[in-house]
Amino acid sequence: KQWYQRRVAITAGKDGMIKRIEEIYLFSLPIKEAEIIDFFLGSKLKDEVLKVMPVQKQTRAGQRTRFKAFVAIGDSDGHIGLGVKCSKEVATAIRGAIILAKLSVIPVRRGYWGNKIGAPHTVPCKVTGKCGSVLVRLVPAPRGTGLVSAPVPKKLLSMAGFEDCYTCATGQTATLGNFAKATFAAIAKTYSYLTPDMWSPTVFTNSPYQEYTDFLAKPFVKQPKKEVKY
């Protein structure tokens, strides 16, 4: 059943029922396949490995070492994702972290520091994210300031599409995983804060699940693979 739901989600995207990724966020639809993100954002996405670190588990035979990878993914235009994966091999960990980063892609809201001139360039308001002991605060900055931050949040902010931003961090920021997660949490909060310009009455429409009920009710027939004769 789960496989069927995933397959339908991809088909719905490719059949033109869901035209933009924003529709998925608008109706809070779960993204269960990384290929859905590839289909909508595709070549715009850039990924970067933030860190690969060894982690150990004590067993009777000694230590069992695995590798933990942190990967950030974004299109520098309002979408960002963060993935963490642990595996026996470095390459497998990175590959898994990229897939998880795609599944966690979120929309990013940008705003202005002063007058609304030109394109949005900074965070719309002060936002805070926390993970472990690390607390990251993002503060709007005037145009031309740049990203005033440590290297880890700077990568995430630039991937999200921010041009100017002040940051403030407290706690054990040397723990890169928590530092990255706290920054990601702060960026995610940009859309959760309801500012006066979003007070207009909401016009509700049917979700894609209701809109395309007839299509979703059809049983999905898996096409048989063609045999290749040599």
Side-chain angles (χ1 to χ4, degrees):
K1 190 181 178 183
Q2 193 180 17
W3 173 84
Y4 170 76
Q5 287 173 340
R6 290 178 177 186
R7 188 67 201 159
V8 164
I10 297 170
T11 314
K14 288 189 177 174
D15 287 352
M17 294 178 185
I18 298 171
K19 293 176 180 65
R20 291 162 62 244
I21 195 168
E22 274 65 35
E23 289 179 44
I24 293 174
Y25 300 129
L26 180 64
F27 296 104
S28 301
L29 304 180
I31 298 172
K32 293 183 176 178
E33 286 283 355
E35 286 78 12
I36 296 171
I37 298 295
D38 288 332
F39 176 75
F40 286 111
L41 300 178
S43 58
K44 289 191 212 168
L45 282 177
K46 299 279 184 292
D47 56 74
E48 188 167 339
V49 179
L50 299 176
K51 190 179 185 180
V52 178
M53 58 185 282
V55 289
Q56 289 183 327
K57 180 184 178 182
Q58 188 68 41
T59 60
R60 266 188 275 179
Q63 289 99 6
R64 190 190 68 183
T65 306
R66 293 199 299 170
F67 296 97
K68 193 178 185 181
F70 296 90
V71 173
I73 197 163
D75 63 351
S76 301
D77 191 27
H79 299 99
I80 181 92
L82 181 69
V84 184
K85 180 71 178 173
C86 201
S87 183
K88 288 179 185 176
E89 293 177 16
V90 175
T92 317
I94 292 170
R95 210 178 305 119
I98 289 170
I99 291 166
L100 290 173
K102 284 177 182 175
L103 293 176
S104 70
V105 166
I106 53 166
V108 177
R109 188 175 174 215
R110 289 166 291 178
Y112 298 90
W113 173 78
N115 290 336
K116 293 183 173 69
I117 301 168
H121 60 99
T122 185
V123 285
C125 56
K126 293 175 186 175
V127 284
T128 308
K130 194 172 190 296
C131 182
S133 70
V134 183
L135 187 137
V136 174
R137 191 175 191 225
L138 307 180
V139 181
R143 205 180 286 276
T145 306
L147 299 171
V148 184
S149 88
V152 175
K154 191 177 248 184
K155 283 177 189 172
L156 289 167
L157 290 167
S158 64
M159 279 183 163
F162 294 112
E163 295 167 26
D164 313 288
C165 187
Y166 292 125
T167 62
C168 169
T170 58
Q172 192 69 26
T173 53
T175 312
L176 187 139
N178 287 356
F179 202 10
K181 284 179 184 176
T183 310
F184 184 70
I187 293 169
K189 279 187 184 176
T190 54
Y191 258 118
S192 65
Y193 192 83
L194 194 68
T195 49
D197 57 326
M198 296 170 80
W199 287 357
S200 55
T202 309
V203 180
F204 292 103
T205 55
N206 288 339
S207 79
Y209 287 153
Q210 288 177 301
E211 195 80 30
Y212 304 109
T213 311
D214 298 336
F215 173 79
L216 292 167
K218 289 178 188 174
F220 183 79
V221 180
K222 195 175 181 182
Q223 297 296 327
K225 286 185 180 180
K226 291 180 181 178
E227 289 184 15
V228 181
K229 292 181 180 179
Y230 296 100

